[in-house]
Amino acid sequence: MKEINFDCLILIFNIFKYDIKSLYSFFLVNKKWCNIVVPILWERYYPFKINEKLCNVILSFLPPSSKKLLSNNDIKLPSLTLSKFPLFNYISFCRYISSDNVDRIIDIVLKNLCNDHRRNLLEQEIYKLFISQCKNVKYLSWETRQPLTLFPGASILFSQLHKLSIDIDYVNSGALYELAQISKDLNTLSIKSCSRNIPELIYLIDAQRNLKKLILDIEVDEKTGKELSKTLERNGATINNLYLNSIDNIVLSSLTALVNLKKLTILHWKNYKEIQQYLAISEFPNLQQLILTNVHLPSFKEISLLIEKTIGNISSIHITATNKTAKEAGILIKAIAVNCPKISDLDTNIEPKDFIHVKTLLLNCRFLRKLRLKSLEFFINENDNNIGDELLDIFILFSPKSLDNISISGLWKYSIDTFNRFFESFRGHPLHYFGINDSYNNITVDHKIIVRKYIDGGVVKCSNWKFIQI
């Protein structure tokens, strides 16, 4: 039998990268297969399982000079640390360097002792090890005051990074400038905890040649906000995924320049008047995901206009207002029903008068899998007896077979008969999840008994009442 080509084996084994049992069986076939499988196993299971055994393996790669330096400063490495290098250079297989993992290694060695000098020294040598030995790192999480760009091998490591997450509070402006000089091919850049004007931050963003995803989880002054807005405009042709959290000072006019945006996330934004203004005039025809949560919105109308200007590729929408006075929730659901035939995940607000639009949504969006509807009402109208029945009847009559995850408001009342018919209608296509957040105690013991019955019968796999004692 002709031997399988080396490159073909790599492709085959990577298909099984999430099947650890198969990979272990391949590992034992022969030396050639072992040499291919070990890097795949290491990449798959590091960095998620930093324990004492893995820590000892990593520390075994420290050079003699580092071990001597640590010993001279009363830092005792674990006794199980290998005295000789292992058969494989496992460090070279790492694709991800995380500050959390480095901290975990330090805690294992120092037994959580808070000696700043020793922690800093051990941290320095661990980072030096990773930066000098990791030849194919694609993702770095930088939350350390160590001067990483000055360590041996930094120019190679940072030049090949695809993803960088950086906490500005730990990094000085000089390091940002060095980063901008050598790291120009980032696809994803995540920046957080910035509370001051740092021109080098803008320089780093502008240095990227093909930046696709930008995450800004920061607090900035007005001047920095305006500069960030300008750099968004300059990179508008490449950025297709924008995440903004708690940025009240950024000039939202930059949104109009992001013509190729596929995913937009805005969290905890208080300047809702600006959001309203710029969402109304923005156009993201290729938009696939829209997330606006914990945002104070006076109206859903502007978001509806934004959705109407897309070309029908939206698959996920999460829009929840912090205020109960938001208007036109029905217009938003109607816009989604008409313009988002591929949507599979929807989370938004609703009022009883808008239930009719849910019918259109279920009829038009036949790929819908998750639907979460949250009430905009402050209190229940006692005259609306069993108002929830209207919504449940719409689910009973019009739900697509794809819909298997439903969460609705517990503000409304539901009759026992309609509640039972609702679950019975899903007997042919079971629900993966069903939940009602019952803040007004409208869900009685009888309702919960019904849920338990259908969970036991396999019609509902999971519910937020599953473990409640009846």
Side-chain angles (χ1 to χ4, degrees):
M1 180 178 176
K2 189 174 181 180
E3 189 174 0
I4 301 176
N5 178 275
F6 185 86
D7 291 333
C8 290
L9 283 173
I10 294 177
L11 292 174
I12 293 171
F13 293 159
N14 268 294
I15 295 174
F16 293 90
K17 67 187 302 181
Y18 298 107
D19 183 353
I20 190 170
K21 291 184 179 180
S22 295
L23 287 175
Y24 275 131
S25 65
F26 300 154
F27 174 87
L28 299 172
V29 171
N30 56 43
K31 185 176 180 179
K32 179 180 179 181
W33 285 34
C34 176
N35 289 336
I36 299 173
V37 171
V38 167
I40 297 174
L41 279 170
W42 185 268
E43 181 182 351
R44 173 67 182 91
Y45 291 97
Y46 175 86
F48 304 108
K49 299 180 181 292
I50 296 290
N51 50 30
E52 289 194 19
K53 186 175 181 179
L54 184 53
C55 172
N56 293 338
V57 172
I58 293 171
L59 294 175
S60 298
F61 288 93
L62 285 171
S65 59
S66 292
K67 292 179 179 179
K68 183 178 180 180
L69 176 64
L70 297 175
S71 178
N72 291 342
N73 284 271
D74 197 26
I75 300 175
K76 186 178 180 180
L77 297 178
S79 58
L80 293 178
T81 299
L82 302 177
S83 59
K84 296 182 179 180
F85 284 145
L87 181 61
F88 294 94
N89 184 358
Y90 296 107
I91 301 296
S92 67
F93 302 149
C94 293
R95 302 291 184 269
Y96 174 98
I97 300 178
S98 164
S99 297
D100 289 340
N101 286 336
V102 174
D103 288 340
R104 173 62 178 153
I105 295 172
I106 294 172
D107 289 338
I108 291 174
V109 174
L110 298 181
K111 309 300 182 185
N112 295 309
L113 293 177
C114 297
N115 184 304
D116 291 341
H117 172 68
R118 287 199 290 170
R119 288 189 69 89
N120 182 72
L121 199 59
L122 181 55
E123 182 186 50
Q124 170 187 288
E125 297 309 303
I126 293 173
Y127 273 112
K128 283 184 177 179
L129 170 66
F130 278 114
I131 290 176
S132 64
Q133 295 295 318
C134 296
K135 305 301 181 183
N136 297 293
V137 171
K138 301 302 179 186
Y139 174 35
L140 170 67
S141 172
W142 188 336
E143 296 183 21
T144 175
R145 300 192 186 281
Q146 297 292 338
L148 303 187
T149 55
L150 301 180
F151 290 164
S155 60
I156 296 175
L157 183 142
F158 283 103
S159 66
Q160 64 188 15
L161 279 182
H162 288 171
K163 183 177 181 181
L164 174 63
S165 176
I166 186 167
D167 190 327
I168 301 297
D169 284 350
Y170 291 95
V171 184
N172 61 41
S173 58
L176 286 174
Y177 179 80
E178 292 291 334
L179 268 176
Q181 298 299 310
I182 57 180
S183 186
K184 298 178 180 293
D185 292 310
L186 295 174
N187 289 328
T188 300
L189 177 58
S190 176
I191 302 168
K192 63 180 180 179
S193 301
C194 178
S195 56
R196 60 193 190 281
N197 183 19
I198 304 179
E200 290 79 9
L201 174 60
I202 307 300
Y203 190 50
L204 174 62
I205 298 174
D206 280 334
Q208 306 312 311
R209 292 181 282 229
N210 194 31
L211 186 62
K212 300 292 187 183
K213 182 177 181 179
L214 180 61
I215 300 172
L216 299 175
D217 188 0
I218 59 181
E219 295 180 6
V220 297
D221 56 28
E222 184 176 356
K223 181 178 179 181
T224 303
K226 290 181 178 180
E227 291 301 317
L228 280 173
S229 180
K230 292 177 182 178
T231 197
L232 284 177
E233 292 177 4
R234 289 192 292 269
N235 291 273
T238 63
I239 294 176
N240 59 32
N241 188 336
L242 180 64
Y243 177 106
L244 303 174
N245 186 16
S246 302
I247 305 178
D248 291 334
N249 299 99
I250 195 169
V251 179
L252 290 173
S253 59
S254 60
L255 288 178
T256 59
L258 304 177
V259 294
N260 294 315
L261 205 63
K262 293 183 179 179
K263 181 174 181 179
L264 175 62
T265 302
I266 299 177
L267 307 179
H268 303 101
W269 210 317
K270 298 178 182 178
N271 293 337
Y272 57 88
K273 291 183 179 179
E274 293 184 68
I275 294 179
Q276 199 175 13
Q277 175 185 351
Y278 290 109
L279 287 180
I281 62 175
S282 297
E283 291 189 26
F284 310 128
N286 300 310
L287 196 65
Q288 296 176 6
Q289 297 183 58
L290 178 61
I291 301 174
L292 302 175
T293 61
N294 295 319
V295 178
H296 191 108
L297 287 172
S299 173
F300 291 92
K301 183 178 179 180
E302 288 71 25
I303 304 173
S304 304
L305 293 174
L306 182 69
I307 290 172
E308 289 173 1
K309 288 179 280 189
T310 63
I311 59 175
N313 289 328
I314 293 181
S315 62
S316 178
I317 294 178
H318 294 241
I319 300 175
T320 54
T322 57
N323 56 309
K324 297 294 185 178
T325 56
K327 299 179 180 179
E328 312 293 355
I331 290 181
L332 173 62
I333 297 175
K334 182 179 179 181
I336 295 170
V338 174
N339 298 281
C340 305
K342 298 179 181 179
I343 193 167
S344 62
D345 187 355
L346 174 60
D347 182 356
T348 191
N349 299 106
I350 194 171
E351 297 177 88
K353 66 183 180 65
D354 302 318
F355 286 170
I356 187 62
H357 298 303
V358 177
K359 172 183 175 181
T360 308
L361 177 77
L362 298 178
L363 285 172
N364 292 357
C365 304
R366 306 307 289 179
F367 299 100
L368 190 63
R369 191 172 71 85
K370 294 182 180 180
L371 180 59
R372 289 169 294 281
L373 299 173
K374 298 181 178 66
S375 173
L376 278 171
E377 297 175 314
F378 272 116
F379 54 88
I380 190 169
N381 186 342
E382 295 297 336
N383 295 323
D384 292 336
N385 293 325
N386 300 333
I387 188 66
D389 285 1
E390 180 183 346
L391 182 60
L392 293 186
D393 278 330
I394 290 172
F395 280 118
I396 292 169
L397 294 173
F398 305 109
S399 290
K401 292 184 178 180
S402 59
L403 186 62
D404 68 355
N405 191 316
I406 300 175
S407 297
I408 55 180
S409 171
L411 198 62
W412 307 302
K413 294 181 179 180
Y414 310 88
S415 69
I416 295 299
D417 175 66
T418 304
F419 211 67
N420 193 76
R421 288 191 298 106
F422 168 81
F423 288 106
E424 193 64 33
S425 70
F426 284 93
R427 187 172 291 280
H429 49 105
L431 288 169
H432 178 77
Y433 176 83
F434 175 79
I436 291 181
N437 297 317
D438 182 31
S439 56
Y440 282 79
N441 298 318
N442 292 319
I443 303 302
T444 66
V445 170
D446 290 336
H447 290 92
K448 295 176 182 179
I449 289 174
I450 292 174
V451 175
R452 179 66 60 81
K453 179 181 73 171
Y454 283 99
I455 288 176
D456 293 341
V459 176
V460 182
K461 183 176 181 180
C462 188
S463 170
N464 58 333
W465 302 321
K466 183 174 183 179
F467 303 107
I468 294 176
Q469 296 296 321
I470 298 175

PDB file of all heavy atoms in Angstrom, residues 315-339:
ATOM      1  N   SER A 315     -28.681  37.530   9.935  1.00  0.00           N
ATOM      2  CA  SER A 315     -28.981  36.247  10.565  1.00  0.00           C
ATOM      3  C   SER A 315     -29.237  36.381  12.062  1.00  0.00           C
ATOM      4  O   SER A 315     -29.818  35.482  12.666  1.00  0.00           O
ATOM      5  CB  SER A 315     -27.827  35.266  10.343  1.00  0.00           C
ATOM      6  OG  SER A 315     -26.635  35.756  10.938  1.00  0.00           O
ATOM      7  N   SER A 316     -28.796  37.502  12.668  1.00  0.00           N
ATOM      8  CA  SER A 316     -28.926  37.640  14.116  1.00  0.00           C
ATOM      9  C   SER A 316     -29.176  39.098  14.487  1.00  0.00           C
ATOM     10  O   SER A 316     -28.459  39.992  14.029  1.00  0.00           O
ATOM     11  CB  SER A 316     -27.655  37.129  14.806  1.00  0.00           C
ATOM     12  OG  SER A 316     -27.729  37.279  16.202  1.00  0.00           O
ATOM     13  N   ILE A 317     -30.198  39.326  15.325  1.00  0.00           N
ATOM     14  CA  ILE A 317     -30.517  40.670  15.827  1.00  0.00           C
ATOM     15  C   ILE A 317     -30.804  40.581  17.320  1.00  0.00           C
ATOM     16  O   ILE A 317     -31.646  39.798  17.751  1.00  0.00           O
ATOM     17  CB  ILE A 317     -31.725  41.278  15.105  1.00  0.00           C
ATOM     18  CG1 ILE A 317     -31.412  41.532  13.633  1.00  0.00           C
ATOM     19  CG2 ILE A 317     -32.150  42.589  15.771  1.00  0.00           C
ATOM     20  CD1 ILE A 317     -32.582  42.086  12.836  1.00  0.00           C
ATOM     21  N   HIS A 318     -30.083  41.404  18.097  1.00  0.00           N
ATOM     22  CA  HIS A 318     -30.325  41.523  19.537  1.00  0.00           C
ATOM     23  C   HIS A 318     -30.493  43.003  19.836  1.00  0.00           C
ATOM     24  O   HIS A 318     -29.525  43.763  19.809  1.00  0.00           O
ATOM     25  CB  HIS A 318     -29.154  40.961  20.349  1.00  0.00           C
ATOM     26  CG  HIS A 318     -28.971  39.485  20.211  1.00  0.00           C
ATOM     27  ND1 HIS A 318     -29.059  38.630  21.281  1.00  0.00           N
ATOM     28  CD2 HIS A 318     -28.714  38.712  19.135  1.00  0.00           C
ATOM     29  CE1 HIS A 318     -28.866  37.385  20.859  1.00  0.00           C
ATOM     30  NE2 HIS A 318     -28.652  37.420  19.559  1.00  0.00           N
ATOM     31  N   ILE A 319     -31.700  43.416  20.121  1.00  0.00           N
ATOM     32  CA  ILE A 319     -31.976  44.825  20.388  1.00  0.00           C
ATOM     33  C   ILE A 319     -32.871  44.918  21.610  1.00  0.00           C
ATOM     34  O   ILE A 319     -34.042  44.527  21.568  1.00  0.00           O
ATOM     35  CB  ILE A 319     -32.660  45.512  19.191  1.00  0.00           C
ATOM     36  CG1 ILE A 319     -31.763  45.444  17.949  1.00  0.00           C
ATOM     37  CG2 ILE A 319     -32.975  46.966  19.527  1.00  0.00           C
ATOM     38  CD1 ILE A 319     -32.396  45.976  16.694  1.00  0.00           C
ATOM     39  N   THR A 320     -32.336  45.422  22.716  1.00  0.00           N
ATOM     40  CA  THR A 320     -33.127  45.578  23.930  1.00  0.00           C
ATOM     41  C   THR A 320     -32.887  46.949  24.525  1.00  0.00           C
ATOM     42  O   THR A 320     -31.747  47.372  24.715  1.00  0.00           O
ATOM     43  CB  THR A 320     -32.770  44.502  24.979  1.00  0.00           C
ATOM     44  OG1 THR A 320     -31.359  44.516  25.215  1.00  0.00           O
ATOM     45  CG2 THR A 320     -33.181  43.130  24.498  1.00  0.00           C
ATOM     46  N   ALA A 321     -33.969  47.648  24.811  1.00  0.00           N
ATOM     47  CA  ALA A 321     -33.899  48.998  25.365  1.00  0.00           C
ATOM     48  C   ALA A 321     -33.897  48.947  26.886  1.00  0.00           C
ATOM     49  O   ALA A 321     -34.549  48.095  27.496  1.00  0.00           O
ATOM     50  CB  ALA A 321     -35.075  49.819  24.871  1.00  0.00           C
ATOM     51  N   THR A 322     -33.147  49.864  27.502  1.00  0.00           N
ATOM     52  CA  THR A 322     -33.142  49.955  28.962  1.00  0.00           C
ATOM     53  C   THR A 322     -34.361  50.682  29.476  1.00  0.00           C
ATOM     54  O   THR A 322     -34.751  50.516  30.629  1.00  0.00           O
ATOM     55  CB  THR A 322     -31.879  50.691  29.448  1.00  0.00           C
ATOM     56  OG1 THR A 322     -31.834  51.993  28.840  1.00  0.00           O
ATOM     57  CG2 THR A 322     -30.626  49.930  29.078  1.00  0.00           C
ATOM     58  N   ASN A 323     -34.961  51.504  28.639  1.00  0.00           N
ATOM     59  CA  ASN A 323     -36.141  52.276  29.040  1.00  0.00           C
ATOM     60  C   ASN A 323     -37.416  51.608  28.559  1.00  0.00           C
ATOM     61  O   ASN A 323     -37.461  51.010  27.481  1.00  0.00           O
ATOM     62  CB  ASN A 323     -36.051  53.687  28.463  1.00  0.00           C
ATOM     63  CG  ASN A 323     -35.883  53.687  26.949  1.00  0.00           C
ATOM     64  OD1 ASN A 323     -35.013  53.000  26.431  1.00  0.00           O
ATOM     65  ND2 ASN A 323     -36.699  54.452  26.251  1.00  0.00           N
ATOM     66  N   LYS A 324     -38.450  51.695  29.374  1.00  0.00           N
ATOM     67  CA  LYS A 324     -39.736  51.090  29.031  1.00  0.00           C
ATOM     68  C   LYS A 324     -40.609  52.016  28.184  1.00  0.00           C
ATOM     69  O   LYS A 324     -41.733  51.666  27.827  1.00  0.00           O
ATOM     70  CB  LYS A 324     -40.496  50.717  30.315  1.00  0.00           C
ATOM     71  CG  LYS A 324     -39.789  49.678  31.173  1.00  0.00           C
ATOM     72  CD  LYS A 324     -39.706  48.329  30.510  1.00  0.00           C
ATOM     73  CE  LYS A 324     -39.100  47.295  31.432  1.00  0.00           C
ATOM     74  NZ  LYS A 324     -39.039  45.956  30.823  1.00  0.00           N
ATOM     75  N   THR A 325     -40.077  53.197  27.856  1.00  0.00           N
ATOM     76  CA  THR A 325     -40.862  54.165  27.087  1.00  0.00           C
ATOM     77  C   THR A 325     -40.531  54.123  25.599  1.00  0.00           C
ATOM     78  O   THR A 325     -41.044  54.941  24.833  1.00  0.00           O
ATOM     79  CB  THR A 325     -40.606  55.586  27.625  1.00  0.00           C
ATOM     80  OG1 THR A 325     -39.201  55.864  27.583  1.00  0.00           O
ATOM     81  CG2 THR A 325     -41.094  55.711  29.061  1.00  0.00           C
ATOM     82  N   ALA A 326     -39.669  53.199  25.194  1.00  0.00           N
ATOM     83  CA  ALA A 326     -39.320  53.098  23.773  1.00  0.00           C
ATOM     84  C   ALA A 326     -40.575  52.802  22.951  1.00  0.00           C
ATOM     85  O   ALA A 326     -41.438  52.023  23.359  1.00  0.00           O
ATOM     86  CB  ALA A 326     -38.282  52.005  23.570  1.00  0.00           C
ATOM     87  N   LYS A 327     -40.661  53.428  21.796  1.00  0.00           N
ATOM     88  CA  LYS A 327     -41.850  53.297  20.947  1.00  0.00           C
ATOM     89  C   LYS A 327     -41.532  52.564  19.650  1.00  0.00           C
ATOM     90  O   LYS A 327     -40.387  52.404  19.271  1.00  0.00           O
ATOM     91  CB  LYS A 327     -42.405  54.687  20.632  1.00  0.00           C
ATOM     92  CG  LYS A 327     -42.831  55.478  21.866  1.00  0.00           C
ATOM     93  CD  LYS A 327     -43.338  56.852  21.477  1.00  0.00           C
ATOM     94  CE  LYS A 327     -43.766  57.655  22.709  1.00  0.00           C
ATOM     95  NZ  LYS A 327     -44.243  59.014  22.345  1.00  0.00           N
ATOM     96  N   GLU A 328     -42.585  52.147  18.964  1.00  0.00           N
ATOM     97  CA  GLU A 328     -42.497  51.549  17.639  1.00  0.00           C
ATOM     98  C   GLU A 328     -41.787  50.198  17.626  1.00  0.00           C
ATOM     99  O   GLU A 328     -41.125  49.843  16.659  1.00  0.00           O
ATOM    100  CB  GLU A 328     -41.797  52.505  16.655  1.00  0.00           C
ATOM    101  CG  GLU A 328     -42.315  53.925  16.668  1.00  0.00           C
ATOM    102  CD  GLU A 328     -43.746  54.029  16.158  1.00  0.00           C
ATOM    103  OE1 GLU A 328     -44.305  53.033  15.715  1.00  0.00           O
ATOM    104  OE2 GLU A 328     -44.294  55.142  16.212  1.00  0.00           O
ATOM    105  N   ALA A 329     -41.931  49.403  18.688  1.00  0.00           N
ATOM    106  CA  ALA A 329     -41.338  48.071  18.697  1.00  0.00           C
ATOM    107  C   ALA A 329     -41.941  47.208  17.592  1.00  0.00           C
ATOM    108  O   ALA A 329     -41.255  46.386  16.977  1.00  0.00           O
ATOM    109  CB  ALA A 329     -41.542  47.407  20.058  1.00  0.00           C
ATOM    110  N   GLY A 330     -43.231  47.421  17.324  1.00  0.00           N
ATOM    111  CA  GLY A 330     -43.895  46.647  16.273  1.00  0.00           C
ATOM    112  C   GLY A 330     -43.331  46.950  14.898  1.00  0.00           C
ATOM    113  O   GLY A 330     -43.213  46.052  14.055  1.00  0.00           O
ATOM    114  N   ILE A 331     -42.956  48.205  14.649  1.00  0.00           N
ATOM    115  CA  ILE A 331     -42.368  48.571  13.355  1.00  0.00           C
ATOM    116  C   ILE A 331     -41.062  47.826  13.136  1.00  0.00           C
ATOM    117  O   ILE A 331     -40.756  47.382  12.029  1.00  0.00           O
ATOM    118  CB  ILE A 331     -42.144  50.099  13.297  1.00  0.00           C
ATOM    119  CG1 ILE A 331     -43.487  50.821  13.208  1.00  0.00           C
ATOM    120  CG2 ILE A 331     -41.273  50.470  12.113  1.00  0.00           C
ATOM    121  CD1 ILE A 331     -43.355  52.327  13.135  1.00  0.00           C
ATOM    122  N   LEU A 332     -40.294  47.653  14.220  1.00  0.00           N
ATOM    123  CA  LEU A 332     -39.027  46.924  14.109  1.00  0.00           C
ATOM    124  C   LEU A 332     -39.275  45.468  13.748  1.00  0.00           C
ATOM    125  O   LEU A 332     -38.645  44.922  12.829  1.00  0.00           O
ATOM    126  CB  LEU A 332     -38.251  47.015  15.422  1.00  0.00           C
ATOM    127  CG  LEU A 332     -36.976  46.154  15.495  1.00  0.00           C
ATOM    128  CD1 LEU A 332     -35.975  46.575  14.435  1.00  0.00           C
ATOM    129  CD2 LEU A 332     -36.360  46.230  16.881  1.00  0.00           C
ATOM    130  N   ILE A 333     -40.210  44.820  14.448  1.00  0.00           N
ATOM    131  CA  ILE A 333     -40.495  43.408  14.157  1.00  0.00           C
ATOM    132  C   ILE A 333     -41.023  43.251  12.731  1.00  0.00           C
ATOM    133  O   ILE A 333     -40.666  42.303  12.018  1.00  0.00           O
ATOM    134  CB  ILE A 333     -41.510  42.850  15.177  1.00  0.00           C
ATOM    135  CG1 ILE A 333     -40.897  42.883  16.584  1.00  0.00           C
ATOM    136  CG2 ILE A 333     -41.907  41.423  14.813  1.00  0.00           C
ATOM    137  CD1 ILE A 333     -41.844  42.474  17.679  1.00  0.00           C
ATOM    138  N   LYS A 334     -41.832  44.191  12.292  1.00  0.00           N
ATOM    139  CA  LYS A 334     -42.348  44.153  10.921  1.00  0.00           C
ATOM    140  C   LYS A 334     -41.215  44.301   9.910  1.00  0.00           C
ATOM    141  O   LYS A 334     -41.175  43.586   8.894  1.00  0.00           O
ATOM    142  CB  LYS A 334     -43.377  45.259  10.721  1.00  0.00           C
ATOM    143  CG  LYS A 334     -44.013  45.273   9.337  1.00  0.00           C
ATOM    144  CD  LYS A 334     -45.046  46.389   9.224  1.00  0.00           C
ATOM    145  CE  LYS A 334     -45.665  46.421   7.827  1.00  0.00           C
ATOM    146  NZ  LYS A 334     -46.666  47.520   7.705  1.00  0.00           N
ATOM    147  N   ALA A 335     -40.280  45.227  10.175  1.00  0.00           N
ATOM    148  CA  ALA A 335     -39.141  45.426   9.271  1.00  0.00           C
ATOM    149  C   ALA A 335     -38.288  44.168   9.182  1.00  0.00           C
ATOM    150  O   ALA A 335     -37.794  43.803   8.109  1.00  0.00           O
ATOM    151  CB  ALA A 335     -38.292  46.606   9.753  1.00  0.00           C
ATOM    152  N   ILE A 336     -38.117  43.489  10.316  1.00  0.00           N
ATOM    153  CA  ILE A 336     -37.344  42.239  10.327  1.00  0.00           C
ATOM    154  C   ILE A 336     -38.074  41.169   9.529  1.00  0.00           C
ATOM    155  O   ILE A 336     -37.472  40.442   8.734  1.00  0.00           O
ATOM    156  CB  ILE A 336     -37.104  41.783  11.776  1.00  0.00           C
ATOM    157  CG1 ILE A 336     -36.212  42.789  12.513  1.00  0.00           C
ATOM    158  CG2 ILE A 336     -36.481  40.392  11.805  1.00  0.00           C
ATOM    159  CD1 ILE A 336     -36.111  42.544  14.001  1.00  0.00           C
ATOM    160  N   ALA A 337     -39.374  41.076   9.719  1.00  0.00           N
ATOM    161  CA  ALA A 337     -40.168  40.059   9.022  1.00  0.00           C
ATOM    162  C   ALA A 337     -40.103  40.228   7.506  1.00  0.00           C
ATOM    163  O   ALA A 337     -40.067  39.249   6.757  1.00  0.00           O
ATOM    164  CB  ALA A 337     -41.612  40.127   9.492  1.00  0.00           C
ATOM    165  N   VAL A 338     -40.056  41.468   7.051  1.00  0.00           N
ATOM    166  CA  VAL A 338     -40.065  41.759   5.615  1.00  0.00           C
ATOM    167  C   VAL A 338     -38.668  41.686   4.996  1.00  0.00           C
ATOM    168  O   VAL A 338     -38.502  41.225   3.859  1.00  0.00           O
ATOM    169  CB  VAL A 338     -40.681  43.150   5.357  1.00  0.00           C
ATOM    170  CG1 VAL A 338     -40.560  43.530   3.882  1.00  0.00           C
ATOM    171  CG2 VAL A 338     -42.143  43.169   5.792  1.00  0.00           C
ATOM    172  N   ASN A 339     -37.639  42.089   5.760  1.00  0.00           N
ATOM    173  CA  ASN A 339     -36.310  42.271   5.178  1.00  0.00           C
ATOM    174  C   ASN A 339     -35.257  41.262   5.626  1.00  0.00           C
ATOM    175  O   ASN A 339     -34.122  41.314   5.148  1.00  0.00           O
ATOM    176  CB  ASN A 339     -35.799  43.680   5.509  1.00  0.00           C
ATOM    177  CG  ASN A 339     -36.672  44.768   4.940  1.00  0.00           C
ATOM    178  OD1 ASN A 339     -36.596  45.089   3.753  1.00  0.00           O
ATOM    179  ND2 ASN A 339     -37.522  45.349   5.780  1.00  0.00           N
TER     180      ASN A 339
END
